């Protein structure tokens, strides 16, 4: 988003790394990888770049801006 993208809605990378560390810990403690459940991301983040929106002539509604986790000015 910092490079000029308009919007991003994606899994929270910090949460993904944290969950990966939990899996690594279980494997190092002796759990078999095949026995571990597959998890899907549960925490997502919305990032909006207002500078790009302005350059494209778009107006982002305040209701969407309030829901964003990060707004890049």
């Amino acid at each position: 988003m910092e490079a000029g993208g308009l919007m991003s809605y994606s899994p929270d990378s910090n949460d993904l790394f944290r969950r990966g560390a939990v899996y690594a810990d279980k494997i190092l403690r002796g759990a078999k990888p095949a026995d571990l459940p597959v998890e899907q991301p549960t925490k997502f983040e919305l990032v909006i770049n207002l500078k790009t929106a302005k350059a494209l002539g778009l107006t982002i509604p305040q209701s969407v801006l309030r829901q964003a986790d990060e707004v890049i000015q």
Side-chain angles (χ1 to χ4, degrees):
M1 297 313 306
E2 306 263 339
L6 177 60
M7 291 179 152
S8 171
Y9 185 69
S10 61
D12 182 9
S13 58
N14 290 333
D15 190 50
L16 290 177
F17 290 133
R18 192 175 304 114
R19 294 302 309 155
V22 170
Y23 269 71
D25 180 58
K26 289 179 182 181
I27 292 169
L28 291 173
R29 292 179 188 261
K32 295 180 183 177
D35 294 337
L36 296 176
V38 175
E39 293 184 10
Q40 292 184 352
T42 56
K43 186 175 180 187
F44 292 84
E45 62 182 356
L46 174 63
V47 180
I48 301 172
N49 189 330
L50 288 179
K51 184 177 179 182
T52 301
K54 183 177 179 181
L56 294 172
L58 300 173
T59 302
I60 308 295
Q62 286 297 319
S63 59
V64 175
L65 291 174
R66 277 187 247 121
Q67 294 178 1
D69 296 301
E70 182 180 351
V71 176
I72 299 171
Q73 300 290 336

